[in-house]
Amino acid sequence: MTTYREFHRRSIEDKEGFWAEQAKLVHWERPPVKVLDYRRPPFARWFVGGETNLCYNALDRHLGARGDQKALVYISTETGEEKSFSYRELHLEVQRAAAMMRSLGVGKGDRVVVYMPMIPEAAFVILACARIGAIHSVVFGGFAAASLAARIDDARPKLMVTADGGSRMGKVVTYKALVDESIRLAKHPPGKVVIFRRGLDPSMKTVARRDLDYAELRANHMNAQVPLTWLESNEPSYILYTSGTTGRPKGVQRDVGGYAVALAASMKHIYCGGAGETMFTTSDIGWVVGHSYIIYGPLIAGMTTVLYEGVPIRPDAGIWWKIVQDHKVNVMFSAPTAIRVLKKHDPAFLRKYDLGSLKHLFLAGEPLDEPTHAWIAEALGKPVIDHYWQTETGWAILSSVPGVEKTPIKLGSPSFPAYGYDLKLLREADAAEAATGEKAVVAIAPPLPPGCMSTVWGDDERFVKTYFGTFRNKQVYSTFDWGIRDADGYYFILGRTDDVINVAGHRLGTREIEEAVNMHSNIAECAVVGVADSLKGQMPLAFAVAKDATRLNSAEGRKALEREVMETVDKQLGAIGRPKAIHFVTLLPKTRSGKTLRRSIQALAEGRDPGDLTTIEDPAALEQIRNALST
Ligand code: AMP
């Protein structure tokens, strides 16, 4: 049996040999002529000349052996619906959706923005895009109209697909109304909008000639057979926007062949999910985890995937475990915040159900604290594997790899570098490799392995500058995370090196939130920092300077302005970006060159020492932060 150490070593020392072997896990209509083309660093092109299709690998390939097996199980505790689709049925629905898009003029390379709740039609549309070579860009439903408009303007879609509404904790979220507002704000709106009506928003309005009904279009294509568009491995499959340190979100562009191979390999080596088994990933299709492990990964592996619309505690905190029991879930994937929510409930909810089918639970998206890790591992009685990755990489950077070797788990650690990743811990000052136990920047020596982003959509220069520009004399990919490695080689992630915060597993740029706060007409400027939160990991906290301070003289005036600013953030960015509180000050702590001292503000907010203040312009500003925090 191969030890993991040997497996990883080979993936780095013999990249082409290693990945050529993994590439056999997927179907190639035309085999690659070269495994890796790295003539233009840091751009890596994998499986050059090979032609494949993600939809073929996810669906068509399985029709012979498992056409009647369930491919997708949809469960909504919001609407009470439960439906399942066999591979054959899913294949039919995807062809109908593909035919519908083609009838609207969507073809290879065209962008389709998907702004949909967790319903099967979202999966149909995503897979249909893959089938016809259109590039999907799924936007998380929690983002507000202005954020959606920014993504529309960057992707310039030909088509948008949405639903009248979604539901969260029984409350309707009007998706279509938000789409209308975003289209009003966008400079490059799509020509057509397809709406799936769930009957959740009876007052939904439509725009003649632009808006079309999903069910009506589908009815025209019931027997559609849409041929596959074979794509060269390096053509784009999708764009997924993510927050960075600037207000402008980055479009992470993914390829086709490298992604298919990376996912197929991860299903085998990391998740140990085999054909005929069931995977339940509790994320949302709007996040990378949803792309990789609700939609593509499990289907490529011939598994049944569970698409769940709802929260983990409704109707009660046993719902997930009931799903595991009823659908014989073998592999589960969730996020630490959800486990922290469950931890507040009686562990009896876990014991009520038969979890015999479950092999392991994977967690990712944010740091997993030791007590939560210990609690869930004990409650489940199964291995709980923390693994670490990013939207940019599309699959795990650090993980235990039980399909190769069952290495012991250390609480609080996502274990070791996944195969394919030449991971480095580099000192911030001189890019030298850090010693054991020394905190340093987590970096990846290029080329990035298959499945990772190819570039920033439409902006190669931004890709190189942003990700490979951290160290002056070394072209390495920065994850913008701090980490350390212990004497046994286990890694620990210690938070971000940049101004990005992680709220309940969702990455948000503090700059983005600041821009949203500043949209309120009475705010002159502000600083937003992330502060530790026992449930969500981190929460944004804002310090703002009002233009007209007269309203701040009374407690009511202050509260009213705080509420208004929060509403502005909800409207601009979405409720996920709403600060925990807004403190009003008359000036912000800045350096003499005008840079806001966010790290010092954050330290004070978390009750730590503010650090080096030699460059501060006016120490009174920090005093104001202190006072604001103590009131
Ligand atoms: P996103 O691209 O939104 O998934 O966010 C990726 C970021 O989330 C990483 O850069 C980390 O800061 C954080 N993250 C993801 N997984 C983990 C993990 N297992 N442990 C610690 N931090 C994590």
Side-chain angles (χ1 to χ4, degrees), residues 119-167:
I119 53 175
E121 288 69 21
F124 305 162
V125 169
I126 289 170
L127 290 161
C129 285
R131 187 168 196 87
I132 63 173
I135 301 168
H136 57 75
S137 183
V138 186
V139 178
F140 176 61
F143 282 114
S147 302
L148 183 54
R151 286 155 175 79
I152 293 172
D153 282 337
D154 195 73
R156 303 195 181 190
K158 199 165 213 173
L159 173 73
M160 268 178 92
V161 188
T162 188
D164 56 344
S167 176

Side-chain angles (χ1 to χ4, degrees), residues 344-462:
K344 294 190 168 219
H345 295 259
D346 193 341
F349 279 119
L350 272 143
R351 302 208 184 94
K352 212 169 129 186
Y353 298 99
D354 176 5
L355 306 181
S357 58
L358 193 66
K359 290 190 267 193
H360 35 221
L361 167 68
F362 284 84
L363 297 173
E366 55 183 309
L368 173 61
D369 55 287
E370 275 191 50
T372 304
H373 197 166
W375 179 83
I376 186 68
E378 155 86 30
L380 277 181
K382 311 271 176 178
V384 174
I385 301 177
D386 178 20
H387 63 333
Y388 155 85
W389 49 298
Q390 308 183 306
T391 305
E392 287 83 348
T393 63
W395 64 287
I397 305 169
L398 286 170
S399 183
S400 165
V401 183
V404 180
E405 186 185 352
K406 289 187 175 52
T407 46
I409 299 294
K410 269 196 195 187
L411 294 184
S413 165
S415 298
F416 316 113
Y419 50 89
Y421 288 93
D422 190 3
L423 214 69
K424 307 279 179 204
L425 280 177
L426 302 180
R427 290 186 182 138
E428 201 181 25
D430 57 3
E433 295 215 27
T436 298
E438 182 184 346
K439 178 177 166 180
V441 178
V442 181
I444 305 165
L448 296 176
C452 291
M453 73 189 292
S454 333
T455 187
V456 170
W457 172 253
D459 201 342
D460 282 355
E461 197 185 326
R462 192 170 176 205

